[in-house]
Amino acid sequence: MFVDTHCHLNMLVKKEFDTLLTKEQLEAVAAFIQEAADAGVGKIINIGTSLPESINSVEIAKRYPSVFATVGLHPCDCTEGWYEDFKAITQLVKNKETNKIIGIGEVGLDFYHKPFFKQRQEDAFKAHIELAIEHRLPLSIHVRDAGDELLQVIEPYVKDITGAVIHCFSQKQDFADIVMGWGFYVGIDAPIAYPKNEWLREVVKNIPLSHIIFETDSPFLPPQQFRGKQNRPAYIPIFAATVAELKGVSLAVVQDVTTANVKKLFGI
């Protein structure tokens, strides 16, 4: 069994961001979960990006036994009033067992999308790290065009962080070496197989399988043959095969090791 450790099922069934799911949309999620199960992807972690989408993540997880939730504010969703949303997210976390919350995320730094507010993003990231530490939850970390800054923010907390994954890993080898030294995992998505990403494949060759978990980031970042269409949790085996090829092992070995990694990190 594979696990999709970073998915946005809520965004697969609606067109507008930051709106709460309707009953019909919540029911529509079932088809994607069944499709994934049929493809050998037996569990899904649905990721929060804002307060409404974190609430959606919780609602999906509570409805479907094979789905679990994370909650948090994506750096691009850190508005001027982010702290009020953060306080509401802390209330969700206080009931983490009932809400099936197994992590904090998607949080981090993004200096690619402009305009961005560096101090606000760093303040929000630190608040989420401290929330994760308080509740002994791992982090799902987003980083784009902010690698050095992200490492600087995290470093003082490393000894207290329960665990973490660098979402949609697209960093250089030195970054990988640092976070692996901290015991973090790297999240591998379909771009590992994109033709232009030979450099990324070279980096991943040097990352032990014991530090890799799989994600789709559905509905974003589909495999090469589905570019221009929605990504789905069912597609994990497609690009997991690329990692198996890079490592010179069978797909079954990749499946077993990465699923064991998910259990260590998220407890599922």
Side-chain angles (χ1 to χ4, degrees):
M1 177 190 72
F2 284 105
V3 181
D4 184 351
T5 63
H6 193 117
C7 176
H8 305 283
L9 290 164
N10 36 308
M11 297 179 189
L12 275 165
V13 296
K14 64 188 181 79
K15 295 181 179 179
E16 295 183 0
F17 292 106
D18 299 330
T19 60
L20 295 179
L21 292 169
T22 65
K23 179 177 179 291
E24 291 74 19
Q25 289 168 339
L26 191 56
E27 291 173 349
V29 168
F32 294 100
I33 296 171
Q34 185 60 55
E35 179 189 48
D38 292 343
V41 182
K43 293 181 180 178
I44 297 170
I45 301 175
N46 204 74
I47 306 292
T49 53
S50 64
L51 177 56
E53 301 301 356
S54 291
I55 292 170
N56 287 335
S57 185
V58 166
E59 289 304 309
I60 292 171
K62 289 168 70 174
R63 183 180 181 94
Y64 297 101
S66 63
V67 181
F68 302 85
T70 75
V71 294
L73 302 178
H74 188 289
C76 295
D77 285 280
C78 288
T79 62
E80 189 174 350
W82 72 269
Y83 193 70
E84 290 303 311
D85 288 344
F86 175 75
K87 287 194 293 185
I89 283 172
T90 65
Q91 295 303 310
L92 292 173
V93 176
K94 286 180 179 179
N95 296 305
K96 63 181 181 180
E97 288 83 11
T98 300
N99 290 329
K100 292 181 68 179
I101 294 171
I102 59 170
I104 301 299
E106 171 179 356
V107 298
L109 301 178
D110 190 313
F111 298 166
Y112 173 81
H113 293 98
K114 297 177 176 61
F116 63 86
F117 300 92
K118 181 176 183 288
Q119 190 61 55
R120 183 189 301 168
Q121 286 194 22
E122 291 183 351
D123 289 345
F125 187 28
K126 290 176 183 177
H128 283 89
I129 293 173
E130 291 166 7
L131 180 66
I133 291 170
E134 178 185 355
H135 292 275
R136 305 299 297 162
L137 290 169
L139 290 152
S140 179
I141 299 174
H142 173 104
V143 55
R144 191 168 185 186
D145 286 4
D148 291 342
E149 293 87 350
L150 183 115
L151 296 176
Q152 290 169 8
V153 170
I154 295 173
E155 189 170 17
Y157 297 99
V158 166
K159 62 180 176 52
D160 297 315
I161 291 174
T162 300
V165 55
I166 304 300
H167 161 54
C168 194
F169 184 81
S170 59
Q171 307 297 315
K172 302 295 193 237
Q173 187 67 53
D174 57 347
F175 184 103
D177 291 340
I178 290 171
V179 297
M180 286 191 296
W182 291 343
F184 292 4
Y185 293 84
V186 299
I188 300 299
D189 303 59
I192 188 66
Y194 290 0
K196 68 176 183 178
N197 282 345
E198 184 61 35
W199 71 270
L200 180 58
R201 289 186 283 277
E202 287 301 314
V203 173
V204 172
K205 278 184 182 179
N206 297 319
I207 296 176
L209 202 53
S210 59
H211 282 275
I212 290 175
I213 60 178
F214 288 121
E215 322 170 324
T216 60
D217 204 23
S218 301
F220 314 108
L221 302 176
Q224 183 67 26
Q225 57 266 55
F226 297 112
R227 298 292 289 272
K229 300 179 181 179
Q230 278 190 329
N231 197 5
R232 300 170 179 230
Y235 295 161
I236 277 187
I238 295 173
F239 57 88
T242 298
V243 173
E245 182 179 351
L246 290 173
K247 299 297 182 185
V249 298
S250 69
L251 186 61
V253 167
V254 168
Q255 173 184 267
D256 290 347
V257 175
T258 57
T259 299
N261 294 342
V262 175
K263 185 175 182 179
K264 291 176 187 175
L265 179 60
F266 289 107
I268 61 169

